[in-house]
Amino acid sequence: STVPVDVFSLGANTGSMTITTASHTCVMLPTVFKCWGRNTEGQLGDGTFANKNVPVTVLNLQVPPPTQI
């Protein structure tokens, strides 16, 4: 969509970092990364090459624990 929309399948989680390109979006949640959009070269990281219109978990990538300063 060229217009921002709510992503309900993320539930009540709030992403702390979002990365958006012209063809896909990724968000860092408290324990995992989720991505959706174009996936013709496997760029969503879910082990497939199918485009996704809902967020999927990026495999083998974990959110690092918070660091205290």
Side-chain angles (χ1 to χ4, degrees):
S1 172
T2 58
V3 177
V5 296
D6 288 329
V7 182
F8 295 105
S9 58
L10 293 177
N13 293 313
T14 301
S16 60
M17 179 175 64
T18 304
I19 301 163
T20 303
T21 72
S23 60
H24 60 277
T25 300
C26 294
V27 63
M28 184 173 77
L29 298 172
T31 58
V32 296
F33 286 90
K34 298 269 186 173
C35 296
W36 61 96
R38 186 175 177 192
N39 193 35
T40 55
E41 298 178 22
Q43 61 265 48
L44 299 183
D46 69 339
T48 74
F49 296 95
N51 297 339
K52 302 294 191 306
N53 61 0
V54 295
V56 294
T57 300
V58 177
L59 302 176
N60 302 314
L61 184 62
Q62 296 177 341
V63 174
T67 304
Q68 287 187 334
I69 299 176

